[in-house]
Amino acid sequence: MSMLHLTISTPMDLLVDVQTRSVRAEDDSGGFGLLPGHVDFLTALPASVVRWRDAADRWSYCALRGGLLTVRDGQEVAIACREGVLGDSLPQLAGKVADFRAREQGVDREVRIEQLRLHSQAVRQLMR
């Protein structure tokens, strides 16, 4: 049986490197599927969920914050994304994405507070 080699990577990490039977994704034109032998293909992915099926027919999922999908030689599928969250089921993935967003918002809040602190410190320094 022919398989696809799927990789999903961020600038800092390789999230997925597996052999798979099929891949489902979506771009601005809608959802699509990839099977072994697919023609070479390049598309931009919006924030979405990519899913793939392994040899045992189990689905895996990755929520992406946008990215670029390429298919080469009918068997190499590569997705480069800014951020990705992996999950074994959609409900589990939804929970992980919610946790990720909450942590991200906390970090953003801390950064804004630090920027305000530094700005206030600079203004006080200028006033002296």
Side-chain angles (χ1 to χ4, degrees):
M1 167 175 39
S2 187
M3 301 286 277
L4 292 168
H5 180 229
L6 172 66
T7 57
I8 301 176
S9 61
T10 68
M12 301 301 284
D13 199 12
L14 179 63
L15 299 175
V16 175
D17 187 3
V18 297
Q19 294 293 322
T20 182
R21 293 177 58 186
S22 65
V23 176
R24 296 260 328 142
E26 66 180 66
D27 61 11
D28 288 339
S29 67
F32 58 90
L34 302 170
L35 295 170
H38 197 283
V39 297
D40 288 0
F41 184 62
L42 172 69
T43 189
L45 302 174
S48 59
V49 175
V50 173
R51 58 186 178 258
W52 60 94
R53 190 169 38 140
D54 66 15
D57 257 356
R58 289 183 303 253
W59 286 96
S60 296
Y61 305 87
C62 184
L64 305 175
R65 181 181 271 186
L68 189 66
L69 179 143
T70 58
V71 178
R72 274 192 339 235
D73 302 326
Q75 60 192 55
E76 297 289 330
V77 179
I79 299 173
C81 61
R82 289 177 277 228
E83 293 174 322
V85 178
L86 299 172
D88 292 326
S89 70
L90 286 175
Q92 175 199 39
L93 184 61
K96 284 184 171 183
V97 168
D99 291 345
F100 180 81
R101 283 188 179 158
R103 280 193 311 273
E104 191 175 68
Q105 287 173 346
V107 168
D108 287 347
R109 189 175 312 114
E110 290 174 14
V111 167
R112 282 193 307 276
I113 290 169
E114 182 63 14
Q115 286 174 338
L116 286 171
R117 187 187 71 74
L118 290 172
H119 182 263
S120 298
Q121 187 178 17
V123 168
R124 280 195 294 276
Q125 189 72 6
L126 288 171
M127 295 297 285
R128 288 187 204 156

